Amino acid sequence: QVQLVESGGGLVQAGGSLRLSCAASGRTFSNYGMGWFRQAPGKEREFVSAINWSGANTDYADSVKGRFTISRDNAKNTVYLQMNSLKPEDTAVYYCAAGGPGWALHNYNYWGQGTQVTVSS
């Protein structure tokens, strides 16, 4: 089992920045690819970004490419999502997940509880 706890969400104005963190415990963190997903009210959960076990390979949804950066620190068992130039349409609950690879939700076995990100216009 892997337990995941997200933090760093909040309310920010459009154009602002937030950094989300996801702390993992349980099985060896570095064995897993990690992903960030989000779910807006009334919408399905969607892929945001993913990173492989070493951090050498990353992937982004087109909607966040150039604005968001995923990274990980295996020594701290933590994955991050730096979000810049935030837009109101980025408002959602953001979830981290362990497993992967890639963008498909069903590839991820473990999920956090989510952290709310709200971007005001």
Side-chain angles (χ1 to χ4, degrees):
Q1 290 287 334
V2 176
Q3 292 78 43
L4 302 171
V5 179
E6 302 96 336
S7 62
L11 173 64
V12 64
Q13 288 187 333
S17 298
L18 284 173
R19 188 174 83 153
L20 305 184
S21 299
C22 174
S25 60
R27 292 189 174 182
T28 305
F29 176 70
S30 59
N31 285 349
Y32 294 89
M34 298 296 295
W36 284 98
F37 296 79
R38 67 187 182 186
Q39 188 166 17
K43 295 188 176 181
E44 294 186 350
R45 194 170 298 188
E46 65 176 7
F47 170 75
V48 175
S49 184
I51 190 167
N52 77 325
W53 69 273
S54 69
N57 296 313
T58 59
D59 194 15
Y60 297 92
D62 288 344
S63 59
V64 307
K65 203 169 290 184
R67 300 187 297 122
F68 290 11
T69 302
I70 191 171
S71 62
R72 67 188 295 162
D73 185 337
N74 286 343
K76 295 183 178 180
N77 289 353
T78 303
V79 62
Y80 305 96
L81 186 68
Q82 177 67 44
M83 305 186 296
N84 298 329
S85 302
L86 283 160
K87 304 175 181 180
E89 51 264 44
D90 294 319
T91 295
V93 177
Y94 283 70
Y95 299 90
C96 73
W103 54 265
L105 274 72
H106 64 257
N107 286 346
Y108 291 83
N109 300 315
Y110 303 102
W111 292 82
Q113 292 300 305
T115 185
Q116 176 71 46
V117 171
T118 303
V119 185
S120 64
S121 58

